[in-house]
Amino acid sequence: MRSEISRDEVRSAIEDKLCAHFGITSEKATDDQVFQAGAMVIREIMSRLMAAEAPRHDRREVHYMSMEFLMGRSLMKNAFNLGISDALTGALEDMGRNASDIFEAENDAGLGNGGLGRLAACYMDSMASLGIPATGYSICYELGIFRQKFQDGRQTELADDWRKSSESWLIPRNEDAVEIRFGGQITPRWDYFGRYHAEHTGYTTVTAVPRDMLIAGFGGKTVNTLRLWDARSTSALDMYLFSEGEYVKSMEQRTMSEVITKVLYPADDHIEGKTLRLKQQYFFVSATVQTIVKKHIAEYGDISSFAEHHVIQINDTHPTLVIPELMRIFMDEHGLGWDEAWSVVTGAVAYTNHTVMSEALEKWPQELVQQLLPRVWEILCEINRRWCDYLVDCFGNTEKVGRNLIIRGGQVHMANLCLAACYKVNGVSGLHGEILKNDLFRDINELRPERFTYVTNGIDHRRWLSQINPRLHSLTAELLGSEDFLTRPEELIKLADFSEESDVQKVVLAIKQLNKEDFADFAMKNDGFMLNTDAIVDVQVKRLHEYKRQLLCAMLITRLQMFIHCYPNAEFKPRTFVFGAKAAAGYRTAKRIIELICSLAKDVNNDPLCKGKLQVYFLENYRVSAAEALMPAAQISQQISTAGKEASGTGNMKLMLNGAVTIGTLDGANVEMYERLGDRNMFLFGLRAEEVIALKQNGYDPLAMSRSDPELTEVLNRFSAGFSDGKSYSDLVSDLLYKGDPYMLIADYRDYVLTHDRLYSVISDDAELARLSLVNTAQSGIFAADRAVREYADNIWKIKP
């Protein structure tokens, strides 16, 4: 398929779609219409490939469940994987179009908040590319992650109607719609054989309608499906109320049903928000499980063989209700006894943990679960009873039993449910895996060590190098003599052999400069920001959270501005700090940190002494397409989370792949990056995870530590006094000094700024900067999603790619 389609054929197909679907010629079509037509052509190619695939019954099928799939844009990605990106670009140019304008017409599919959703998207690509039969499942949110807008330096959240431009990708499968039940009562009934039957009455129903997005693997040999569930009311309209003039009330049932798939992660700081989130999770889980089981029965007939043919990988705890829902269906609908059903479930479900913070582990109010999901609640109670008995047998009546119960303290603890039921529990980096075994889940690891493992996260290297950084891709192919690295990312290591060659170094620097100029164009178009392309692009882009320590980077920038004022004639390598981050709508402290950085940026960028030396750019509405513009231009990667808090990270890998030099802590996947890069090629600072614990145990006093550092005191005083806009951030300073500084910004400040100085001293030599850049790209192959998916297939799913 990759070599069979010419640009003329693509052009003809697009023009045909424009005529058939829009009743318009290519000359009169808008860019959006041309995009839609192009998407239809690509989707049709994928549909034909999928229809031509032979049935795959010899291996387990993977069902990857995630509340997030941050897919980004699909037109160029699918064309690239099908091998027709040149044909598509050429066809658009032959039509008199600027291909980049057509690609820009596609909105990001913002079905995610950050790394969790982007990881899921990368894994879907790799599973298809490796020929693994897999289906992804999530919710077809009407509005994705919010569109971020800065007003007076503050984040505001606007609705993001991503589906407007994605209809061409989504295939409605009305024939696969299923019914989801909420509320009601369970009436017990016993048959003549003494078997329990749960009669569910008084419930309300919502219809789950699947909309499928096709995922083409690289080479076009395998096409998998991402199934997104859309909520529909079982009643479109109450005709009686409508006829009585109660127009709004007549739509109430429909509105309450469809709100389930309205937005990603509704605020849950009130009971209505918690109820909606729980409804979302059960809706998504029940629809998925019903579909998988129905398909299994149609293909194999015997429900007891379910685990032999299917593995359900739950990406974080959001889909954990899959466990009791499978039990419900196996027992209530297929007649299995408890022990047989439990054996099947525990042989089919595996769990990926994504956090090391116990407070971030998901839990639900007991009363809410009981009211909303009465049959699931009964099953959870029985799972908890049996789990409790098992724990008491193992630990006796000790505190180890209480802290590992599924239901305790009036809450349902989802991670503990995973520990009770999942046959594998994996972390997402080596350090994270050790923390799970030795700290977070240490009690259960003591009982079941064989169930715990880790798979370090990976990224789609084809997208994050070859597709978004074609100049570096071309150089890589030239140096390595082929494009084999597209399917064998470990080949990238051979680039290290060229890192000392001056001619190659010059090309690396030239590529980076051109990429910076491209990013400067993006910054001007996106935010009206004039980027200094002669400056080092120093990047911190990730979800805004206190443990990720964007505030620590702001402290560094404030120090640099103070230095420029004190020593205006001193040598200073120009640098532009680029931030990209969204804060959860209800996360007050995170939003205050954004406001501080925006105040700092305004102050620095209008400071005449900083002109040409120091810039701060907060990229508004950071998203996948923005990352694709930024990553090729990045030169420094800030990976500065508190050691022991970041499970893995994937932005660090994307930046490394594109040749950025990392300054960071030994946290998450940074540990494995450091094992490959060493001190010469990576700039480490800060406390190690065990040192953080020890310092806190020994009585960490951030106020006393800050007072011993006059420069740090001055930085914090600057925050409190405010910048040129007059806003004071004394609340953030007080949190650091008087509330224990839980993320150790004060403790790590001095080492951080000195390491940053050392880094800039080293890269003042252009040849060394180029060498560092190429070495980072060379060592990044191990972080490809293809490697990660192979590890899942070998060690967890037991599937041979």
Side-chain angles (χ1 to χ4, degrees), residues 2-46:
R2 287 176 61 81
S3 59
E4 294 176 359
I5 303 176
S6 69
R7 63 194 288 171
D8 289 339
E9 290 171 315
V10 174
R11 175 182 177 176
S12 177
I14 292 174
E15 290 176 337
D16 179 68
K17 298 298 180 191
L18 287 170
C19 182
H21 289 269
F22 299 102
I24 199 168
T25 64
S26 61
E27 291 80 10
K28 295 182 179 179
T30 65
D31 284 351
D32 182 67
Q33 289 170 328
V34 173
F35 155 70
Q36 295 278 6
M40 291 176 194
V41 170
I42 299 294
R43 193 187 82 179
E44 187 174 296
I45 293 170
M46 292 191 291

Side-chain angles (χ1 to χ4, degrees), residues 74-140:
S74 295
L75 181 61
M76 192 60 191
K77 175 59 181 173
N78 283 324
F80 181 87
N81 277 1
L82 292 169
I84 60 172
S85 54
D86 289 342
L88 175 61
T89 301
L92 294 172
E93 291 173 351
D94 291 346
M95 293 168 64
R97 303 287 176 157
N98 184 324
S100 63
D101 290 342
I102 303 304
F103 299 140
E104 285 289 324
E106 180 177 12
N107 288 341
D108 284 51
L111 303 178
N113 186 38
L116 184 76
R118 190 54 232 161
L119 180 77
C122 287
Y123 284 178
M124 287 301 297
D125 178 271
S126 284
M127 284 187 278
S129 297
L130 295 174
I132 294 174
T135 304
Y137 299 90
S138 193
I139 290 176
C140 193

